[in-house]
Amino acid sequence: MLLPFMPFNRGEKNKMTVENRTAPQGSEHSETVWVYLFKELDRVYEIAKPADWEDVQSLLGGKGANLARMTSLDVPVPAGFTVTTEACNAYMDYDRNFPPNMWQQEVEAMGALEGITGKKFGDSTKPLLVSCRSGGKFSMPGMMDTVLNIGLNDDTARGMVEITGDARFVYDSYRRLVQMFASVVLGVPDEPFEEAIEQAKSVRGVHDDTELTAAEWKELTERFKGLIRSFTDSEFPQDPYKQLELATRAVFNSWFGKRAVDYRNATNISHDLGTAVNIQTVVFGNMGDASGTGVAFTRNPVDGTREIYGDYLLNAQGEDVVAGIRNTRPIAQLKAEMPGVFGEFVEICGKLESFYKDMQDVEFTIERGKLWMLQTRNGKRTARAAIKIAVDLADEKMITRDEAIMRVTPEQVDMLLHPQFGGDTKAEATQAGRRLVEKAVNASPGAAVGVAAFDADTAERWGNEGKDVIMVRPETRPDDVHGMIAAKGILTSKGGATSHAAVVARQFGTPAVCGAENLIIEVGHRLFIAAVAGNTVEVREGEWLSIDGGSGEVFRGQLETRDPDFEHEAELITLLAWADEIRRLGVRTNADYPADAERARRYGAEGIGLCRTEHMFFQEERLPIMQQMITAETGAHRKAALDQLLPMQRGDFEGLFRAMDGCPVIIRLLDPPLHEFLPSQHALVQELADLKVQLQHFRSMSEIDNALAQVREKEDILERVESLAESNPMLGLRGDRLGIMMPEITEMQARAILEAAVAVSKEGLDVKPEIMIPLSSHVNELTVLKKVVDEVARKVFSETGTTVKFLYGTMIELPRAALTADEMAREAEFFSFGTNDLTQTTFGMSRDDAEAKFLIDYVKTGVLPTNPFQELDRGGVGKLVEMAVRLGRSTRPGMSCGICGEHGGEPNSIEFCHLVGLDYVSCSPFRVPVARLAAAQAVLNHR
């Protein structure tokens, strides 16, 4: 059967661009409803007929849908309306023109807002002001555009001064509109505006924006208009409806802005969903100390603790909090400053969390003591928080255990198991005076080590070059997202736990330290200065930094990291235990050494799916013996070298069998070409040339004799290397072919495995060895080598007086093996799919060469949907796997089949393995928890 491609993410990446969309013909959209008021959720169901809540989010965007839902729940939400995502897509279809009747519907909705609020848009006596915000189906924090205070102009500003008696508030609001309009709508750089504000504060000798006077804000507003004239040769529009029209266009256009596209590519969000536009009555948090604004989470998004977590500012508007331009106050302080408001806020948070059954990220504004909720959405969270919240919600009976399993992504489990700094390491660095920041905002946990980069473009460029980067900024902006994605860590001197840097870092699992106020970051000079114990330390771009996003510490230089302590991750252990009850697939590990096997067993591995014996031969004390075996001129010399390797191999296998007591251990016989164990031909030629030059300078016979002996030895090795040279060694004398041509290698390895199994079984342990033949392409190869293995087994069991049951199987890593799997199964008792080589031989490409030359571009340009070496190619390689399983079991019913390539730890590939009926996946020890969760999710996705 042909299995469908079923992506694990939120939709295949769609590489569509605006330029290749085709405008529709005729007036098919003339009767479409493009606009819905927040209070018209029932009308959405009546007209659009969504099948479920996800369809509502697809139409109204996540933000618009939740504003409508909050309104229906009687949560205090400022009135507004949503222009649908369909309108955005139609706008693109019509070559960035509004579709028929959309603008008329938006104007009519403004009239409805006037009726609800008792205010009038553009009126100087009772002015209605609105915000214009984006809102896609999936949360994309800060990636698209927002314009606040639309409707302000010279007339309405004067009128508002008369109404409120607060000129400072009015002109602070007006300058915000002009500044945002210039940046978002007209594309004017933001820096000249910020420089003007900083200059005004410097002249006054003040530190905070809130200390500027009404006259100064009024003057700055005029300066901002002048900046617009200078950059655009046009005036700031005084017509409120022109402001609204251009702002709506800007939000639509921002769907295909660079930062939005980069973000969607990084998070696998489809490019054809479009964004909604939310027009909402403005409530003001900048009307004095009885007003304020903030962002909060109903649970701690860093560690998952059940507490209100967030930041707020008095006398400010929302962008001040999320932009990180002012250092905020923790939400707990609001209880002391406004106890009534805080109590109402906590009650609403509880109501929203109970309704949505998930941790919520909310935005709020307090206008002269009145609380307004501006947004709710499922909050971004760290991996640790995601796991704890899911388990806690299940324990609180708010969701089921199955739902808890689906709430956590395999990527989050992987993030939680990233390396950390050890306490001793940080203590030593502190004593050495290398700690630059003692306690800033621990915005996103984890350890990160990298070189400092002071802008997003540099961070991205260095990241693409393979460098580990810490991106250092005073604060991050949405335009920085491409650098944030490339960076290993993020450090800012401004902003709090809900700033843009913090939210995006948590989204991507990137360690981040924010609000490090003792740092003076001079981006223009590519350095920062840290005040440490009365001294100043200068760190320049390119120097190494280590940041701890869990503690909020920053260190100069490179700190060593340690593996995470899995045994103390109580919630993760609980979640994975629930997953184990559901999954059908077994999870084994790829392990070559006992330490790896023991770690994997602690992580929940149920056996070893691949032990690569060649890795053991590369150890320092073994490599010379291996080279003696390869360069041996006679069979006797080769056997003598193998006799030295035998006890070493036997000891390796004993350690693995002990670590995996009671679990199967698949040991692959020697696979790579022999030349890999020898020096390269180029290196040998160079060494010989150097030795011959040195010979000319020796005077004593002993020096000459010694040098000549080295020359003869090198010449012998070079001769053997040249004799082993192949045009295409990966398809040459390796794997089972090597075992057939040099059966003494197979004999030694089989004896080491079986002697180790006998020895460990005599210790009272349950040993389950499985011997795997690599690179087989014809059943006759398996027949030949099975005779060798069976004869060794007969001898070992006779010599020891003990018999151990073992299985004999093969790796399926060549297309012919898959196509003739029914024949292979006559000899093989199990199949293990080596999907790395199977992918190479199916596509006819070398992984290293392909990734270096063209494969990455193939994925970027859509020639291939994904990198087939990272995510299993279901349409080609997957067909071979499914066919081989079916054919093999037709000959040997119930035969064990698994996968042991890198795909064994990749969630989409694990889902495929579940669908085709494999028995297990095998992956690296650190991916075992990931595979356990992904295997359970595959079951739940296909129930």
Side-chain angles (χ1 to χ4, degrees), residues 153-175:
N153 57 25
D154 295 347
D155 289 339
T156 55
R158 284 191 293 268
M160 284 186 67
V161 172
E162 292 180 12
I163 296 167
T164 64
D166 189 345
R168 188 206 168 280
F169 147 69
V170 172
Y171 285 103
D172 178 28
S173 302
Y174 194 7
R175 68 87 187 175

Side-chain angles (χ1 to χ4, degrees), residues 387-578:
I387 293 165
K388 178 172 174 55
I389 290 170
V391 171
D392 285 352
L393 289 175
D395 287 342
E396 295 164 17
K397 308 301 182 186
M398 197 177 292
I399 62 175
T400 66
R401 289 184 175 182
D402 286 1
E403 288 173 316
I405 289 168
M406 295 304 295
R407 290 281 177 91
V408 177
T409 68
E411 291 79 11
Q412 287 170 327
V413 173
D414 184 42
M415 289 174 190
L416 189 61
L417 298 176
H418 283 178
Q420 307 290 327
F421 294 133
D424 293 343
T425 300
K426 294 199 295 185
E428 291 171 3
T430 301
Q431 291 174 1
R434 291 164 56 194
R435 185 165 69 181
L436 304 178
V437 177
E438 180 177 357
K439 186 64 177 175
V441 177
N442 51 334
S444 183
V449 180
V451 294
F454 285 84
D455 66 78
D457 292 340
T458 301
E460 181 183 48
R461 185 175 72 256
W462 285 358
N464 290 339
E465 293 171 359
K467 294 182 180 179
D468 291 340
V469 175
I470 304 295
M471 195 170 90
V472 183
R473 300 284 293 165
E475 70 275 336
T476 65
R477 298 182 179 184
D479 289 339
D480 293 326
V481 69
H482 57 293
M484 300 174 77
I485 292 170
K488 298 294 184 184
I490 298 165
L491 171 62
T492 71
S493 59
K494 299 178 182 178
T498 57
S499 64
H500 176 265
V503 171
V504 174
R506 288 195 290 269
Q507 161 80 3
F508 291 107
T510 304
V513 174
C514 297
E517 294 181 298
N518 72 314
L519 302 185
I520 301 173
I521 298 175
E522 298 183 3
V523 175
H525 293 95
R526 323 303 286 179
L527 60 83
F528 72 78
I529 299 169
V532 182
N535 299 315
T536 57
V537 178
E538 189 175 276
V539 175
R540 293 187 171 274
E541 189 164 66
E543 294 186 22
W544 286 94
L545 291 173
S546 301
I547 70 171
D548 188 333
S551 66
E553 296 172 287
V554 180
F555 299 86
R556 189 174 192 176
Q558 297 171 267
L559 268 62
E560 292 184 5
T561 59
R562 60 170 174 78
D563 294 336
D565 190 354
F566 179 81
E567 287 78 4
H568 288 86
E569 300 292 347
E571 286 83 9
L572 176 58
I573 290 171
T574 297
L575 185 77
L576 293 178
W578 296 346

Side-chain angles (χ1 to χ4, degrees), residues 594-606:
D596 292 335
E598 290 165 2
R599 177 185 291 113
R601 193 80 188 265
R602 292 196 301 271
Y603 286 4
E606 299 158 326

Side-chain angles (χ1 to χ4, degrees), residues 4 43 70 74 77 107 140 157 168 198 206 255 264 283 308 368 404 438 479 502 507 650 670 673 737 834 837 871:
R43 184 167 176 252
M70 284 198 294
D74 294 325
V77 174
V107 172
M140 296 170 52
R168 188 206 168 280
E198 291 301 317
V206 297
W255 176 254
R264 291 197 296 274
V283 289
I308 303 292
R368 292 180 171 173
E438 180 177 357
D479 289 339
Q507 161 80 3
R650 184 171 58 232
L670 191 65
R737 303 160 190 170
D837 275 358
E871 182 178 319

Side-chain angles (χ1 to χ4, degrees), residues 70 264 274 298 496 584 654 672 720 845 858 876 943:
M70 284 198 294
R264 291 197 296 274
T298 57
R584 182 191 61 77
E654 287 175 355
R720 186 61 173 146
M845 63 173 68
Y858 265 36
R943 268 185 175 171

Side-chain angles (χ1 to χ4, degrees), residues 69 325 367 712 826 843:
R69 178 69 83 189
I325 57 177
E367 184 180 79
R712 286 191 293 270
R826 294 204 302 264
F843 275 90

